[in-house]
Every structure is written in structure tokens, then in C-alpha cells.
Amino acid sequence: MCGIVGITSNNDVTARILGSLKKLEYRGYDSAGIATLSDGNINEVKCEGRVESLEKNISRTNLQGTIGIGHVRWATHGKPSTLNAHPHSSEVVSVVHNGIIENSTILKKLLEKKGYRFKSQTDTEVIAHLVTDYLKKDNLKNTIVKVLKKLHGSFALGIIFKDQPDLIVGARRGSPLAVGYGPDENYLGSDSYALKAMTNKISYLNDGEFCIIKKDLVEFFDSNAKKINKKILNLSKNDQSIDKGDYKYFMSKEVDEQPITIKNCVNEYIDKFNKQINIYNFPWKIRDISSVVLIGCGTAYHACLIAKYWFEEHTSLDVTVDVASEFRYRKIKFKKDSLYIFVSQSGETADTYAALDICKKNKMKTCSIVNVVESSIARDSQLVLPIHCGPEIGVASTKAFLGQMLVLYLLCLKISFDKKIISKKKYSEKIKYLLSLSNLTKKTLKVDSKIQKLCKVFANAKGCMFLGRGYSFPIALEGALKLKELAYIHAEGYPAGEMKHGPLALIEEGMPVVVLAPRDDHYKKIVSNMQEVISRGAKVLLITNKSKNEIQSENIWETIEVENISEDLLPFLITIPLQKLAYYSALEKGYDIDKPRNLAKSVTVE
Ligand code: F6R
């Protein structure tokens, strides 16, 4: 989704803004642009498409300046085009913006009446003209306060001013924004990741705050322009290298990294010597928790759905799972003894953050399970449980999904143990299984060659279905989501028992159907469901675990067997062939796997 960079320095900033925009590419975008100040002029270069094209355009124009702002845009108001790309400039200011200005239509009409002319279809352009208008009557700081009060919606802003050759304004409401500190220069970024190549000293703006950044000074203000102090955080420099190595796409690298992800996470949470799960700084008494509410979006929501089965099996807690975009607008009856758990790879998903904010305002117990520990969701939660995956760049979430499931599973077992529900023997057994999970994931990754052969059928299919029961049902949803978002194939995930209640009508000769049937409690039932689709012409790809027992069904098109582990951990292993299936189907169709159309990595607008 949209990304912001700003630099004020003694040296030319163009190349470094481009470098930071490249870092933000992973968020998903459709156009890009830069504005700098030089010789008292605002210079803009923008284009539809990739930062690479922007770089080519810039090399033709010789754009220069010691202060500048850059942006990658994911279209909301107005189609992706050069004209709609940010920055948007008036005669005197240039603006980059993440988020949505909800009252832009009204503001635009008012500004048009005053004679301002609009070039784009964006909501952002109103900000440029509004700032210009207020600056005619007021000083810079008052202008910012007044403009921010006029704007409805959620946003992060970066603004430069024609007559201020060393000053960037940043402002935050709803969308994240970070300030970075360098030697004789300072930075603005929509996340710390954009600034990592330049600094590891970061401060974050909170909602309603704005900042004034000069090359030798950074000042922060609340919404009434009262000066405030901010902590400077030192971010770790030792993130895993963020390049593709020998891989063609980040996604395939990230899928293959999953054994390491699991190992890192297990090492962080399991004390191998004492054979126990450690969750440090748990801020509540375990007896004060009698239910959990799990909240997330997309893949993170699927991780929550699986966790519901775990919590129900291993604890006595009531469990509710909710999609964040629904939760935030429902009339929730908050309960003091509930633990509200927010699952988010990026930690910046607007809906998940809003759901957390509501819980915070209602003084609930909040815990977040995130990959980005510096994120807004992590910073605003009482307990943060990192998934320790390292950066996930491919838009489709893969290793983070396994990491989310793993931390949810560990939390569930820990609560079960502390509440004395799981026996010591069973708890030790589970820990033993967890210690073997990384290795089994590694072995399961070998399904690669078999899947590659099958993906032609999927790539040419009009649509397909993923069926599961129990733990495998949320994995069926996840498999379908991966195929949709990467290979643009209509795919439905369904609880296999629901087929007769409608979806069976979709089955026709040759339709690929993925049946997830590990040898668990649901095995016999799902084999019957599988036969029902086979007899209606479906081409069934069965995914199960290795067993001495033969599969009691005929006419299965293909079977993939994953390694064996305890039933409740099989979701980790059966996910892998589904990730590979989506990957190879998209590859077969020649799509840009790391940047699927219309999607963004960090969904910072609702
Ligand atoms: C799908 C995918 C998305 C994200 C969702 C939530 O592959 O990546 O569905 O899971 O946008 O994102 P986070 O986890 O960052 O809150």
C-alpha cells in the first residue's frame, strides 16, 4: 500500500529517496513519484508503474535537490496514472499522503469556489491547496494545525514548502509514520523499513501528532501545536538480508525459509532444558482470563480460525474469532475476563489496528502477535508476542502464516498448562513434537517436484475448490486464498460437510478439487465427501499424511503425502503443498508473484 519517504540533507537526496521507495515496493503500489526543492522551485517527477520507470524518468530530467519527498501510491481515489501519482503540488507546497481523506469532495468544492484548480482525481490534492490557502493568512505551524483539523479520515502526510529550503512537515492520524535521525540530515518514512538503509535511530508519531523536520533539528507537536518530547529508539540492524538470493521470487524464498522460521520461533519460546514454554512479562493472572477473542484479516484471520480449534481442544476458554473489519463496527459486549488477541504480520493493518484501539479504549486486555515488532499494533498492545520470521516481502503471506499459527499454538498450550488443564505428560509430548516441527517442515518442502507437474491443470481451470474438516477447514480457506491472489483463479475454501448444502452444484467434469484429508478424527467423513465430488467428475488432488493404511477411495487424480506429526500440528505441514500449488500455478501463468495485481502488503487503509 502507499509509502512515504522524505529527506532533508546537505547532499543531493534523489538517489536515496529512490532507494527508499524501492524498499517500500513490497507494500504493493501502482505508481510512484518524487518532488524536490532546488533553486527555489518545486520539481516533480511521477509515473504510473514501477519505481524502475520513475528512475528512468528521473535520469532524463536530472532531478536534484537537498530536500525531497517520495511516494509509492496504491490507488484509492482516482485510477492509477501519472497524473494521480503523488506528490501533489500547488504553487507553494508539495504533498505525499497515505490513507483516505473522507471529506475531500466537500473540501474540493470549497477550494474550487475560491479559484483553486485541480489536476488529479485524488483526495490528496485538496491537502496541497488547503495548506496553500491557509498559508496566505497564517504561519506554517498554525496552518498545519488548522489543516489537520479540517481533514476527516485517516492519513499520514509529508509536506515540503517552496520557501522553506530545509523543512519537511510530517503528520499522522491513523496511518503510521516514523522519523529517522542521521548525521546532519533527518528523515520521514511510512515505516522504519524505508529508512533502514540510512539510520536505525527512529521515533514514531502517535495519532494526532505532527513534526517539523530540518536537517539538524526534529520537533514534535500534539494536535494543538504544543511541543512534545519523543523517545528515540535504536532499531536492531541485524535483520536477515532482504534479497532474493538464488530465488526468482521472494515468495518461493519465504516458503523455503519456513523451517528456519519455525526453528527461530521455537528457540525463542521453548526452554529446551526444562521442556517448557516461556512467555515472559505476561501481564495478567491466568485465572483472570476465561475467554479469548482472536482478531485478524485475510491470512492472519485464517491463523485465528485454526487457533480456535486448538484453544477449544486444549483449554477451557470460550473462543471467538472475528474479522477485524467486522469487529470494529459491531456492537461488542466487552468482557473484563476476555483476552483480545490481534494477529498481524505487518502490525499496521488499518482494520486490525482500529479493532485494537476500540479494545484499548474499553480497557480490555490486549495481546498482539506480529512480525514487525516496531509496528503500531505492537506498540499499542499490552503484551507483544513476535513471530520471529524476519522480513516477509512477497505480498502473499506464507512464512508469517506458519509463524502466527505457531505462536498461537504456544500461547494456547501455555495457558492450558498454567490453568492445569493439559497433563504434564501430554504437555511434554507436545513440546517434543514442536521441537521436531522444523525438521518435518523441511522434509515436507520436498513435495515441490510433484506439485510442479500438477499446476498446469490448476492454471487452466475456470475455478476450483479446497475442502477440509476440523483443523483442515481453515487451511482449505487459506489454500483457496493463496490460489486466488497469486494465480487469479476463482477458488473456494469450504468445510467439506457443507458441500451438499449448495456448492456441490459447482462440481463439473474435470474441475480440480483439493481435498485436505489428514488421518485425523475427520478422515473417514472427508473421504466420503471426496467420493461425492469424484463421482460428479471432479479431479481430486488429495493431501494427506503418510500412513501404512491405504486410502479407501478410487479414482483419485493425484495424492500428496506430508510427514507425520500429532494431529493438531498437521495444519503446519498440509499448508506447504498449498503454498507451492499457488506459486507454481501463478508461475505457469507468468504472473508477478511477489506483487499480485490490485494487492498491497501492508493494508493501511480500511
Ligand atoms: C494474503 C495476505 C493478506 C494478509 C492481510 C493481513 O496472503 O497476505 O490476507 O494476511 O492483509 O495482513 P497483516 O497480517 O499484515 O495484518
Side-chain angles (χ1 to χ4, degrees), residues 29 84 99 227 323 365 433 477 530:
Y29 69 102
N84 288 334
K227 218 165 151 189
V323 170
K365 302 179 179 73
Y433 281 127
L477 293 178
M530 177 169 72

Side-chain angles (χ1 to χ4, degrees), residues 30-32 44-49 73 77-89 118-125:
D30 43 55
S31 52
E44 256 182 19
V45 182
K46 318 199 277 194
C47 74
E48 192 184 338
R73 173 177 187 253
H77 288 54
K79 61 180 187 186
S81 69
T82 301
L83 219 54
N84 288 334
H86 301 204
H88 290 282
S89 306
F118 285 76
K119 292 178 269 188
S120 75
Q121 302 154 316
T122 64
D123 50 344
T124 307
E125 205 178 344

Side-chain angles (χ1 to χ4, degrees), residues 344-365:
S344 173
Q345 186 284 130
S346 61
E348 300 294 355
T349 300
D351 284 319
T352 313
Y353 181 77
L356 164 67
D357 198 45
I358 293 165
C359 291
K360 232 178 90 181
K361 287 186 177 132
N362 281 280
K363 302 196 167 37
M364 292 296 111
K365 302 179 179 73

Side-chain angles (χ1 to χ4, degrees), residues 297-300 343-347 349 395-397 404 481-482 485 603:
C297 300
T299 290
V343 181
S344 173
Q345 186 284 130
S346 61
T349 300
V395 163
S397 193
Q404 290 162 348
L481 177 64
K482 284 285 149 311
E485 65 175 331
V603 185

